[in-house]
Amino acid sequence: MSVDWSALKAAALAAQGRAYAPYSDYKVGAALLTAGGEVITGCNVENATFGATCCAERTAVFSAVASGHRSFTAIAVVTNGAEPGTPCGICRQVLAEFGSDMDVLCFTPEGAEQVYRLSQLLPFAFTLK
Ligand code: THU
């Protein structure tokens, strides 16, 4: 199934608008495409302890899994700044739990973008096998 990147990007941008980032003011939106074609979004949710903060990508994955999805085709991640940010190491590992062959589109609202394969971003992901 081909990815409707413009729909996924629009969903990520909408999620970025819901980011709760009063400490860093760094707002992130993510939109995860399930194998069945559903789009599940996430935003970063910060916390006064800082350590309890959850990134946008993990919010999306946890929400998707809680809704019964475990197979993902792609994720779009939007960040502000000159260059798109890439998912942090913890998020890469969490995404890889469900397969490393998904596409990861990182973009900015101004139009900078880069597509990666998750296996490129996290080669040799940890597994218990
Ligand atoms: N953040 C994400 O949402 N995703 C990432 O991959 C990296 C960082 C968030 C966490 C925190 O709310 C803010 O960006 C600054 O680190």
Side-chain angles (χ1 to χ4, degrees):
M1 194 201 303
S2 68
V3 177
D4 181 349
W5 286 116
S6 63
L8 211 55
K9 286 166 74 173
L13 278 165
Q16 186 189 30
R18 297 188 287 271
Y20 176 72
Y23 305 106
S24 72
D25 199 35
Y26 187 78
K27 296 180 176 176
V28 187
L32 196 55
L33 181 65
T34 71
E38 287 190 55
V39 174
I40 313 280
T41 61
C43 60
N44 52 333
V45 182
E46 296 189 344
N47 186 268
T49 63
F50 295 7
T53 290
C54 192
C55 292
E57 299 90 325
R58 273 178 290 147
T59 304
V61 171
F62 297 156
S63 176
V65 172
S67 303
H69 305 285
R70 294 185 181 179
S71 182
F72 309 112
T73 306
I75 186 168
V77 181
V78 60
T79 52
N80 296 330
E83 298 298 326
T86 57
C88 79
I90 295 173
C91 289
R92 293 178 196 200
Q93 182 68 43
V94 167
L95 287 164
E97 179 74 21
F98 300 98
S100 288
D101 60 352
M102 78 177 79
D103 289 318
V104 180
L105 171 67
C106 302
F107 73 103
T108 71
E110 289 71 36
E113 66 177 53
Q114 183 76 50
V115 185
Y116 305 93
R117 204 74 174 162
L118 182 57
S119 53
Q120 259 184 290
L121 294 176
L122 186 66
F124 309 106
F126 177 77
T127 78
L128 283 171
K129 290 170 201 152

mmCIF file with all atom_site columns, all heavy atoms in Angstrom, residues 20-21 24-29 43-47 53-58 77 79 85-89 91, ligand 1:
data_model
loop_
_atom_site.group_PDB
_atom_site.id
_atom_site.type_symbol
_atom_site.label_atom_id
_atom_site.label_alt_id
_atom_site.label_comp_id
_atom_site.label_asym_id
_atom_site.label_entity_id
_atom_site.label_seq_id
_atom_site.pdbx_PDB_ins_code
_atom_site.Cartn_x
_atom_site.Cartn_y
_atom_site.Cartn_z
_atom_site.occupancy
_atom_site.B_iso_or_equiv
_atom_site.pdbx_formal_charge
_atom_site.auth_seq_id
_atom_site.auth_comp_id
_atom_site.auth_asym_id
_atom_site.auth_atom_id
_atom_site.pdbx_PDB_model_num
ATOM   1   N N   . TYR A 1 20 ? 1.948  19.566 24.348 1.00 0.00 ? 20 TYR A N   1
ATOM   2   C CA  . TYR A 1 20 ? 2.010  20.216 25.666 1.00 0.00 ? 20 TYR A CA  1
ATOM   3   C C   . TYR A 1 20 ? 3.494  20.343 25.994 1.00 0.00 ? 20 TYR A C   1
ATOM   4   O O   . TYR A 1 20 ? 4.132  19.376 26.423 1.00 0.00 ? 20 TYR A O   1
ATOM   5   C CB  . TYR A 1 20 ? 1.267  19.372 26.701 1.00 0.00 ? 20 TYR A CB  1
ATOM   6   C CG  . TYR A 1 20 ? 1.362  19.935 28.098 1.00 0.00 ? 20 TYR A CG  1
ATOM   7   C CD1 . TYR A 1 20 ? 0.659  21.092 28.450 1.00 0.00 ? 20 TYR A CD1 1
ATOM   8   C CD2 . TYR A 1 20 ? 2.159  19.329 29.069 1.00 0.00 ? 20 TYR A CD2 1
ATOM   9   C CE1 . TYR A 1 20 ? 0.751  21.630 29.732 1.00 0.00 ? 20 TYR A CE1 1
ATOM   10  C CE2 . TYR A 1 20 ? 2.259  19.854 30.353 1.00 0.00 ? 20 TYR A CE2 1
ATOM   11  C CZ  . TYR A 1 20 ? 1.554  21.005 30.666 1.00 0.00 ? 20 TYR A CZ  1
ATOM   12  O OH  . TYR A 1 20 ? 1.645  21.536 31.934 1.00 0.00 ? 20 TYR A OH  1
ATOM   13  N N   . ALA A 1 21 ? 4.049  21.512 25.703 1.00 0.00 ? 21 ALA A N   1
ATOM   14  C CA  . ALA A 1 21 ? 5.503  21.695 25.853 1.00 0.00 ? 21 ALA A CA  1
ATOM   15  C C   . ALA A 1 21 ? 5.812  23.036 26.520 1.00 0.00 ? 21 ALA A C   1
ATOM   16  O O   . ALA A 1 21 ? 6.535  23.862 25.954 1.00 0.00 ? 21 ALA A O   1
ATOM   17  C CB  . ALA A 1 21 ? 6.174  21.588 24.491 1.00 0.00 ? 21 ALA A CB  1
ATOM   18  N N   . SER A 1 24 ? 10.005 23.248 27.356 1.00 0.00 ? 24 SER A N   1
ATOM   19  C CA  . SER A 1 24 ? 10.986 23.397 26.269 1.00 0.00 ? 24 SER A CA  1
ATOM   20  C C   . SER A 1 24 ? 10.474 24.322 25.165 1.00 0.00 ? 24 SER A C   1
ATOM   21  O O   . SER A 1 24 ? 11.268 24.842 24.385 1.00 0.00 ? 24 SER A O   1
ATOM   22  C CB  . SER A 1 24 ? 11.308 22.041 25.653 1.00 0.00 ? 24 SER A CB  1
ATOM   23  O OG  . SER A 1 24 ? 10.204 21.575 24.884 1.00 0.00 ? 24 SER A OG  1
ATOM   24  N N   . ASP A 1 25 ? 9.172  24.452 25.065 1.00 0.00 ? 25 ASP A N   1
ATOM   25  C CA  . ASP A 1 25 ? 8.544  25.161 23.942 1.00 0.00 ? 25 ASP A CA  1
ATOM   26  C C   . ASP A 1 25 ? 8.935  24.528 22.598 1.00 0.00 ? 25 ASP A C   1
ATOM   27  O O   . ASP A 1 25 ? 8.892  25.183 21.560 1.00 0.00 ? 25 ASP A O   1
ATOM   28  C CB  . ASP A 1 25 ? 8.898  26.652 23.961 1.00 0.00 ? 25 ASP A CB  1
ATOM   29  C CG  . ASP A 1 25 ? 7.911  27.458 23.112 1.00 0.00 ? 25 ASP A CG  1
ATOM   30  O OD1 . ASP A 1 25 ? 6.722  27.096 23.076 1.00 0.00 ? 25 ASP A OD1 1
ATOM   31  O OD2 . ASP A 1 25 ? 8.344  28.426 22.454 1.00 0.00 ? 25 ASP A OD2 1
ATOM   32  N N   . TYR A 1 26 ? 9.356  23.276 22.636 1.00 0.00 ? 26 TYR A N   1
ATOM   33  C CA  . TYR A 1 26 ? 9.717  22.531 21.418 1.00 0.00 ? 26 TYR A CA  1
ATOM   34  C C   . TYR A 1 26 ? 8.559  21.575 21.138 1.00 0.00 ? 26 TYR A C   1
ATOM   35  O O   . TYR A 1 26 ? 8.428  20.525 21.782 1.00 0.00 ? 26 TYR A O   1
ATOM   36  C CB  . TYR A 1 26 ? 11.027 21.773 21.644 1.00 0.00 ? 26 TYR A CB  1
ATOM   37  C CG  . TYR A 1 26 ? 11.599 21.102 20.415 1.00 0.00 ? 26 TYR A CG  1
ATOM   38  C CD1 . TYR A 1 26 ? 12.287 21.831 19.449 1.00 0.00 ? 26 TYR A CD1 1
ATOM   39  C CD2 . TYR A 1 26 ? 11.470 19.720 20.233 1.00 0.00 ? 26 TYR A CD2 1
ATOM   40  C CE1 . TYR A 1 26 ? 12.820 21.214 18.326 1.00 0.00 ? 26 TYR A CE1 1
ATOM   41  C CE2 . TYR A 1 26 ? 12.005 19.087 19.120 1.00 0.00 ? 26 TYR A CE2 1
ATOM   42  C CZ  . TYR A 1 26 ? 12.679 19.844 18.175 1.00 0.00 ? 26 TYR A CZ  1
ATOM   43  O OH  . TYR A 1 26 ? 13.217 19.220 17.064 1.00 0.00 ? 26 TYR A OH  1
ATOM   44  N N   . LYS A 1 27 ? 7.712  21.966 20.194 1.00 0.00 ? 27 LYS A N   1
ATOM   45  C CA  . LYS A 1 27 ? 6.492  21.197 19.945 1.00 0.00 ? 27 LYS A CA  1
ATOM   46  C C   . LYS A 1 27 ? 6.697  20.190 18.826 1.00 0.00 ? 27 LYS A C   1
ATOM   47  O O   . LYS A 1 27 ? 7.209  20.542 17.758 1.00 0.00 ? 27 LYS A O   1
ATOM   48  C CB  . LYS A 1 27 ? 5.345  22.149 19.615 1.00 0.00 ? 27 LYS A CB  1
ATOM   49  C CG  . LYS A 1 27 ? 5.014  23.045 20.796 1.00 0.00 ? 27 LYS A CG  1
ATOM   50  C CD  . LYS A 1 27 ? 3.876  23.992 20.501 1.00 0.00 ? 27 LYS A CD  1
ATOM   51  C CE  . LYS A 1 27 ? 3.564  24.781 21.778 1.00 0.00 ? 27 LYS A CE  1
ATOM   52  N NZ  . LYS A 1 27 ? 2.542  25.797 21.574 1.00 0.00 ? 27 LYS A NZ  1
ATOM   53  N N   . VAL A 1 28 ? 6.280  18.971 19.084 1.00 0.00 ? 28 VAL A N   1
ATOM   54  C CA  . VAL A 1 28 ? 6.473  17.870 18.129 1.00 0.00 ? 28 VAL A CA  1
ATOM   55  C C   . VAL A 1 28 ? 5.121  17.200 17.863 1.00 0.00 ? 28 VAL A C   1
ATOM   56  O O   . VAL A 1 28 ? 4.335  16.982 18.799 1.00 0.00 ? 28 VAL A O   1
ATOM   57  C CB  . VAL A 1 28 ? 7.473  16.827 18.675 1.00 0.00 ? 28 VAL A CB  1
ATOM   58  C CG1 . VAL A 1 28 ? 7.795  15.775 17.609 1.00 0.00 ? 28 VAL A CG1 1
ATOM   59  C CG2 . VAL A 1 28 ? 8.751  17.499 19.172 1.00 0.00 ? 28 VAL A CG2 1
ATOM   60  N N   . GLY A 1 29 ? 4.867  16.892 16.604 1.00 0.00 ? 29 GLY A N   1
ATOM   61  C CA  . GLY A 1 29 ? 3.668  16.147 16.236 1.00 0.00 ? 29 GLY A CA  1
ATOM   62  C C   . GLY A 1 29 ? 4.066  14.899 15.469 1.00 0.00 ? 29 GLY A C   1
ATOM   63  O O   . GLY A 1 29 ? 5.045  14.916 14.716 1.00 0.00 ? 29 GLY A O   1
ATOM   64  N N   . CYS A 1 43 ? 1.521  13.673 20.284 1.00 0.00 ? 43 CYS A N   1
ATOM   65  C CA  . CYS A 1 43 ? 2.289  14.914 20.466 1.00 0.00 ? 43 CYS A CA  1
ATOM   66  C C   . CYS A 1 43 ? 3.143  14.726 21.713 1.00 0.00 ? 43 CYS A C   1
ATOM   67  O O   . CYS A 1 43 ? 2.899  13.800 22.500 1.00 0.00 ? 43 CYS A O   1
ATOM   68  C CB  . CYS A 1 43 ? 1.360  16.119 20.630 1.00 0.00 ? 43 CYS A CB  1
ATOM   69  S SG  . CYS A 1 43 ? 0.246  15.998 22.034 1.00 0.00 ? 43 CYS A SG  1
ATOM   70  N N   . ASN A 1 44 ? 4.145  15.570 21.867 1.00 0.00 ? 44 ASN A N   1
ATOM   71  C CA  . ASN A 1 44 ? 4.906  15.459 23.107 1.00 0.00 ? 44 ASN A CA  1
ATOM   72  C C   . ASN A 1 44 ? 4.091  16.019 24.267 1.00 0.00 ? 44 ASN A C   1
ATOM   73  O O   . ASN A 1 44 ? 3.354  16.994 24.120 1.00 0.00 ? 44 ASN A O   1
ATOM   74  C CB  . ASN A 1 44 ? 6.299  16.101 23.005 1.00 0.00 ? 44 ASN A CB  1
ATOM   75  C CG  . ASN A 1 44 ? 6.303  17.522 22.494 1.00 0.00 ? 44 ASN A CG  1
ATOM   76  O OD1 . ASN A 1 44 ? 5.415  17.932 21.767 1.00 0.00 ? 44 ASN A OD1 1
ATOM   77  N ND2 . ASN A 1 44 ? 7.322  18.273 22.866 1.00 0.00 ? 44 ASN A ND2 1
ATOM   78  N N   . VAL A 1 45 ? 4.209  15.345 25.398 1.00 0.00 ? 45 VAL A N   1
ATOM   79  C CA  . VAL A 1 45 ? 3.497  15.736 26.614 1.00 0.00 ? 45 VAL A CA  1
ATOM   80  C C   . VAL A 1 45 ? 4.547  15.883 27.703 1.00 0.00 ? 45 VAL A C   1
ATOM   81  O O   . VAL A 1 45 ? 5.097  14.875 28.187 1.00 0.00 ? 45 VAL A O   1
ATOM   82  C CB  . VAL A 1 45 ? 2.430  14.685 27.008 1.00 0.00 ? 45 VAL A CB  1
ATOM   83  C CG1 . VAL A 1 45 ? 1.676  15.143 28.261 1.00 0.00 ? 45 VAL A CG1 1
ATOM   84  C CG2 . VAL A 1 45 ? 1.449  14.442 25.859 1.00 0.00 ? 45 VAL A CG2 1
ATOM   85  N N   . GLU A 1 46 ? 4.877  17.116 28.025 1.00 0.00 ? 46 GLU A N   1
ATOM   86  C CA  . GLU A 1 46 ? 5.943  17.363 29.006 1.00 0.00 ? 46 GLU A CA  1
ATOM   87  C C   . GLU A 1 46 ? 5.398  17.313 30.424 1.00 0.00 ? 46 GLU A C   1
ATOM   88  O O   . GLU A 1 46 ? 4.186  17.285 30.650 1.00 0.00 ? 46 GLU A O   1
ATOM   89  C CB  . GLU A 1 46 ? 6.614  18.714 28.705 1.00 0.00 ? 46 GLU A CB  1
ATOM   90  C CG  . GLU A 1 46 ? 7.296  18.687 27.344 1.00 0.00 ? 46 GLU A CG  1
ATOM   91  C CD  . GLU A 1 46 ? 8.165  19.907 27.066 1.00 0.00 ? 46 GLU A CD  1
ATOM   92  O OE1 . GLU A 1 46 ? 8.052  20.935 27.759 1.00 0.00 ? 46 GLU A OE1 1
ATOM   93  O OE2 . GLU A 1 46 ? 8.969  19.811 26.103 1.00 0.00 ? 46 GLU A OE2 1
ATOM   94  N N   . ASN A 1 47 ? 6.331  17.267 31.365 1.00 0.00 ? 47 ASN A N   1
ATOM   95  C CA  . ASN A 1 47 ? 5.960  17.165 32.774 1.00 0.00 ? 47 ASN A CA  1
ATOM   96  C C   . ASN A 1 47 ? 6.941  17.985 33.590 1.00 0.00 ? 47 ASN A C   1
ATOM   97  O O   . ASN A 1 47 ? 8.123  18.087 33.215 1.00 0.00 ? 47 ASN A O   1
ATOM   98  C CB  . ASN A 1 47 ? 6.002  15.689 33.203 1.00 0.00 ? 47 ASN A CB  1
ATOM   99  C CG  . ASN A 1 47 ? 5.498  15.495 34.612 1.00 0.00 ? 47 ASN A CG  1
ATOM   100 O OD1 . ASN A 1 47 ? 6.274  15.511 35.562 1.00 0.00 ? 47 ASN A OD1 1
ATOM   101 N ND2 . ASN A 1 47 ? 4.214  15.334 34.764 1.00 0.00 ? 47 ASN A ND2 1
ATOM   102 N N   . THR A 1 53 ? 8.344  13.254 30.906 1.00 0.00 ? 53 THR A N   1
ATOM   103 C CA  . THR A 1 53 ? 7.916  13.714 29.571 1.00 0.00 ? 53 THR A CA  1
ATOM   104 C C   . THR A 1 53 ? 7.841  12.540 28.592 1.00 0.00 ? 53 THR A C   1
ATOM   105 O O   . THR A 1 53 ? 8.685  11.642 28.620 1.00 0.00 ? 53 THR A O   1
ATOM   106 C CB  . THR A 1 53 ? 8.933  14.756 29.050 1.00 0.00 ? 53 THR A CB  1
ATOM   107 O OG1 . THR A 1 53 ? 8.795  15.942 29.835 1.00 0.00 ? 53 THR A OG1 1
ATOM   108 C CG2 . THR A 1 53 ? 8.709  15.087 27.584 1.00 0.00 ? 53 THR A CG2 1
ATOM   109 N N   . CYS A 1 54 ? 6.834  12.561 27.743 1.00 0.00 ? 54 CYS A N   1
ATOM   110 C CA  . CYS A 1 54 ? 6.743  11.544 26.684 1.00 0.00 ? 54 CYS A CA  1
ATOM   111 C C   . CYS A 1 54 ? 6.808  12.232 25.324 1.00 0.00 ? 54 CYS A C   1
ATOM   112 O O   . CYS A 1 54 ? 6.112  13.218 25.069 1.00 0.00 ? 54 CYS A O   1
ATOM   113 C CB  . CYS A 1 54 ? 5.450  10.743 26.806 1.00 0.00 ? 54 CYS A CB  1
ATOM   114 S SG  . CYS A 1 54 ? 5.457  9.262  25.755 1.00 0.00 ? 54 CYS A SG  1
ATOM   115 N N   . CYS A 1 55 ? 7.657  11.698 24.456 1.00 0.00 ? 55 CYS A N   1
ATOM   116 C CA  . CYS A 1 55 ? 7.820  12.241 23.106 1.00 0.00 ? 55 CYS A CA  1
ATOM   117 C C   . CYS A 1 55 ? 6.569  11.978 22.255 1.00 0.00 ? 55 CYS A C   1
ATOM   118 O O   . CYS A 1 55 ? 5.800  11.041 22.523 1.00 0.00 ? 55 CYS A O   1
ATOM   119 C CB  . CYS A 1 55 ? 8.996  11.572 22.402 1.00 0.00 ? 55 CYS A CB  1
ATOM   120 S SG  . CYS A 1 55 ? 10.606 11.966 23.084 1.00 0.00 ? 55 CYS A SG  1
ATOM   121 N N   . ALA A 1 56 ? 6.443  12.751 21.210 1.00 0.00 ? 56 ALA A N   1
ATOM   122 C CA  . ALA A 1 56 ? 5.304  12.624 20.297 1.00 0.00 ? 56 ALA A CA  1
ATOM   123 C C   . ALA A 1 56 ? 5.223  11.232 19.662 1.00 0.00 ? 56 ALA A C   1
ATOM   124 O O   . ALA A 1 56 ? 4.139  10.650 19.541 1.00 0.00 ? 56 ALA A O   1
ATOM   125 C CB  . ALA A 1 56 ? 5.419  13.683 19.201 1.00 0.00 ? 56 ALA A CB  1
ATOM   126 N N   . GLU A 1 57 ? 6.375  10.703 19.260 1.00 0.00 ? 57 GLU A N   1
ATOM   127 C CA  . GLU A 1 57 ? 6.383  9.410  18.563 1.00 0.00 ? 57 GLU A CA  1
ATOM   128 C C   . GLU A 1 57 ? 5.896  8.295  19.489 1.00 0.00 ? 57 GLU A C   1
ATOM   129 O O   . GLU A 1 57 ? 5.124  7.427  19.090 1.00 0.00 ? 57 GLU A O   1
ATOM   130 C CB  . GLU A 1 57 ? 7.793  9.070  18.068 1.00 0.00 ? 57 GLU A CB  1
ATOM   131 C CG  . GLU A 1 57 ? 8.375  10.072 17.083 1.00 0.00 ? 57 GLU A CG  1
ATOM   132 C CD  . GLU A 1 57 ? 9.149  11.209 17.740 1.00 0.00 ? 57 GLU A CD  1
ATOM   133 O OE1 . GLU A 1 57 ? 8.763  11.663 18.836 1.00 0.00 ? 57 GLU A OE1 1
ATOM   134 O OE2 . GLU A 1 57 ? 10.159 11.647 17.146 1.00 0.00 ? 57 GLU A OE2 1
ATOM   135 N N   . ARG A 1 58 ? 6.378  8.322  20.736 1.00 0.00 ? 58 ARG A N   1
ATOM   136 C CA  . ARG A 1 58 ? 5.939  7.273  21.672 1.00 0.00 ? 58 ARG A CA  1
ATOM   137 C C   . ARG A 1 58 ? 4.478  7.450  22.055 1.00 0.00 ? 58 ARG A C   1
ATOM   138 O O   . ARG A 1 58 ? 3.751  6.473  22.225 1.00 0.00 ? 58 ARG A O   1
ATOM   139 C CB  . ARG A 1 58 ? 6.821  7.255  22.923 1.00 0.00 ? 58 ARG A CB  1
ATOM   140 C CG  . ARG A 1 58 ? 8.056  6.368  22.734 1.00 0.00 ? 58 ARG A CG  1
ATOM   141 C CD  . ARG A 1 58 ? 8.945  6.402  23.942 1.00 0.00 ? 58 ARG A CD  1
ATOM   142 N NE  . ARG A 1 58 ? 9.572  7.702  24.057 1.00 0.00 ? 58 ARG A NE  1
ATOM   143 C CZ  . ARG A 1 58 ? 9.869  8.292  25.209 1.00 0.00 ? 58 ARG A CZ  1
ATOM   144 N NH1 . ARG A 1 58 ? 9.580  7.708  26.337 1.00 0.00 ? 58 ARG A NH1 1
ATOM   145 N NH2 . ARG A 1 58 ? 10.458 9.462  25.214 1.00 0.00 ? 58 ARG A NH2 1
ATOM   146 N N   . VAL A 1 77 ? 6.800  12.889 11.286 1.00 0.00 ? 77 VAL A N   1
ATOM   147 C CA  . VAL A 1 77 ? 7.148  13.622 12.507 1.00 0.00 ? 77 VAL A CA  1
ATOM   148 C C   . VAL A 1 77 ? 7.460  15.066 12.137 1.00 0.00 ? 77 VAL A C   1
ATOM   149 O O   . VAL A 1 77 ? 8.306  15.309 11.256 1.00 0.00 ? 77 VAL A O   1
ATOM   150 C CB  . VAL A 1 77 ? 8.386  12.991 13.202 1.00 0.00 ? 77 VAL A CB  1
ATOM   151 C CG1 . VAL A 1 77 ? 8.734  13.753 14.481 1.00 0.00 ? 77 VAL A CG1 1
ATOM   152 C CG2 . VAL A 1 77 ? 8.144  11.517 13.505 1.00 0.00 ? 77 VAL A CG2 1
ATOM   153 N N   . THR A 1 79 ? 8.687  18.894 13.376 1.00 0.00 ? 79 THR A N   1
ATOM   154 C CA  . THR A 1 79 ? 9.357  19.719 14.380 1.00 0.00 ? 79 THR A CA  1
ATOM   155 C C   . THR A 1 79 ? 9.627  21.087 13.760 1.00 0.00 ? 79 THR A C   1
ATOM   156 O O   . THR A 1 79 ? 9.705  21.212 12.539 1.00 0.00 ? 79 THR A O   1
ATOM   157 C CB  . THR A 1 79 ? 10.706 19.093 14.802 1.00 0.00 ? 79 THR A CB  1
ATOM   158 O OG1 . THR A 1 79 ? 11.470 18.806 13.626 1.00 0.00 ? 79 THR A OG1 1
ATOM   159 C CG2 . THR A 1 79 ? 10.521 17.811 15.598 1.00 0.00 ? 79 THR A CG2 1
ATOM   160 N N   . GLY A 1 85 ? 13.854 17.596 12.904 1.00 0.00 ? 85 GLY A N   1
ATOM   161 C CA  . GLY A 1 85 ? 14.448 16.738 13.936 1.00 0.00 ? 85 GLY A CA  1
ATOM   162 C C   . GLY A 1 85 ? 14.150 15.290 13.621 1.00 0.00 ? 85 GLY A C   1
ATOM   163 O O   . GLY A 1 85 ? 13.166 14.981 12.945 1.00 0.00 ? 85 GLY A O   1
ATOM   164 N N   . THR A 1 86 ? 14.996 14.399 14.085 1.00 0.00 ? 86 THR A N   1
ATOM   165 C CA  . THR A 1 86 ? 14.749 12.962 13.913 1.00 0.00 ? 86 THR A CA  1
ATOM   166 C C   . THR A 1 86 ? 14.360 12.365 15.267 1.00 0.00 ? 86 THR A C   1
ATOM   167 O O   . THR A 1 86 ? 14.714 12.923 16.309 1.00 0.00 ? 86 THR A O   1
ATOM   168 C CB  . THR A 1 86 ? 15.998 12.238 13.364 1.00 0.00 ? 86 THR A CB  1
ATOM   169 O OG1 . THR A 1 86 ? 17.100 12.469 14.242 1.00 0.00 ? 86 THR A OG1 1
ATOM   170 C CG2 . THR A 1 86 ? 16.346 12.713 11.963 1.00 0.00 ? 86 THR A CG2 1
ATOM   171 N N   . PRO A 1 87 ? 13.632 11.241 15.262 1.00 0.00 ? 87 PRO A N   1
ATOM   172 C CA  . PRO A 1 87 ? 13.197 10.646 16.528 1.00 0.00 ? 87 PRO A CA  1
ATOM   173 C C   . PRO A 1 87 ? 14.375 10.335 17.456 1.00 0.00 ? 87 PRO A C   1
ATOM   174 O O   . PRO A 1 87 ? 15.446 9.901  16.999 1.00 0.00 ? 87 PRO A O   1
ATOM   175 C CB  . PRO A 1 87 ? 12.496 9.355  16.091 1.00 0.00 ? 87 PRO A CB  1
ATOM   176 C CG  . PRO A 1 87 ? 12.040 9.628  14.694 1.00 0.00 ? 87 PRO A CG  1
ATOM   177 C CD  . PRO A 1 87 ? 13.104 10.507 14.098 1.00 0.00 ? 87 PRO A CD  1
ATOM   178 N N   . CYS A 1 88 ? 14.184 10.541 18.743 1.00 0.00 ? 88 CYS A N   1
ATOM   179 C CA  . CYS A 1 88 ? 15.240 10.254 19.724 1.00 0.00 ? 88 CYS A CA  1
ATOM   180 C C   . CYS A 1 88 ? 15.488 8.745  19.796 1.00 0.00 ? 88 CYS A C   1
ATOM   181 O O   . CYS A 1 88 ? 14.710 7.944  19.261 1.00 0.00 ? 88 CYS A O   1
ATOM   182 C CB  . CYS A 1 88 ? 14.860 10.811 21.097 1.00 0.00 ? 88 CYS A CB  1
ATOM   183 S SG  . CYS A 1 88 ? 13.691 9.786  22.007 1.00 0.00 ? 88 CYS A SG  1
ATOM   184 N N   . GLY A 1 89 ? 16.542 8.365  20.446 1.00 0.00 ? 89 GLY A N   1
ATOM   185 C CA  . GLY A 1 89 ? 16.930 6.949  20.522 1.00 0.00 ? 89 GLY A CA  1
ATOM   186 C C   . GLY A 1 89 ? 15.875 6.067  21.160 1.00 0.00 ? 89 GLY A C   1
ATOM   187 O O   . GLY A 1 89 ? 15.624 4.948  20.694 1.00 0.00 ? 89 GLY A O   1
ATOM   188 N N   . CYS A 1 91 ? 12.637 6.565  21.228 1.00 0.00 ? 91 CYS A N   1
ATOM   189 C CA  . CYS A 1 91 ? 11.522 6.420  20.280 1.00 0.00 ? 91 CYS A CA  1
ATOM   190 C C   . CYS A 1 91 ? 11.875 5.482  19.130 1.00 0.00 ? 91 CYS A C   1
ATOM   191 O O   . CYS A 1 91 ? 11.031 4.725  18.653 1.00 0.00 ? 91 CYS A O   1
ATOM   192 C CB  . CYS A 1 91 ? 11.098 7.785  19.757 1.00 0.00 ? 91 CYS A CB  1
ATOM   193 S SG  . CYS A 1 91 ? 10.270 8.777  21.021 1.00 0.00 ? 91 CYS A SG  1
HETATM 194 N N1  . THU B 2 .  ? 10.755 15.226 21.704 1.00 0.00 ? 1  THU B N1  1
HETATM 195 C C1  . THU B 2 .  ? 9.871  14.500 20.959 1.00 0.00 ? 1  THU B C1  1
HETATM 196 O O1  . THU B 2 .  ? 8.646  14.659 21.093 1.00 0.00 ? 1  THU B O1  1
HETATM 197 N N2  . THU B 2 .  ? 10.370 13.603 20.074 1.00 0.00 ? 1  THU B N2  1
HETATM 198 C C2  . THU B 2 .  ? 11.685 13.338 19.888 1.00 0.00 ? 1  THU B C2  1
HETATM 199 O O2  . THU B 2 .  ? 12.040 12.439 19.151 1.00 0.00 ? 1  THU B O2  1
HETATM 200 C C3  . THU B 2 .  ? 12.679 14.182 20.565 1.00 0.00 ? 1  THU B C3  1
HETATM 201 C C4  . THU B 2 .  ? 12.194 15.101 21.597 1.00 0.00 ? 1  THU B C4  1
HETATM 202 C C5  . THU B 2 .  ? 10.227 16.187 22.678 1.00 0.00 ? 1  THU B C5  1
HETATM 203 C C6  . THU B 2 .  ? 10.457 15.830 24.111 1.00 0.00 ? 1  THU B C6  1
HETATM 204 C C7  . THU B 2 .  ? 10.418 17.182 24.770 1.00 0.00 ? 1  THU B C7  1
HETATM 205 O O3  . THU B 2 .  ? 9.082  17.507 25.062 1.00 0.00 ? 1  THU B O3  1
HETATM 206 C C8  . THU B 2 .  ? 10.925 18.131 23.705 1.00 0.00 ? 1  THU B C8  1
HETATM 207 O O4  . THU B 2 .  ? 10.838 17.440 22.481 1.00 0.00 ? 1  THU B O4  1
HETATM 208 C C9  . THU B 2 .  ? 12.369 18.586 23.910 1.00 0.00 ? 1  THU B C9  1
HETATM 209 O O5  . THU B 2 .  ? 13.224 17.524 24.071 1.00 0.00 ? 1  THU B O5  1
#
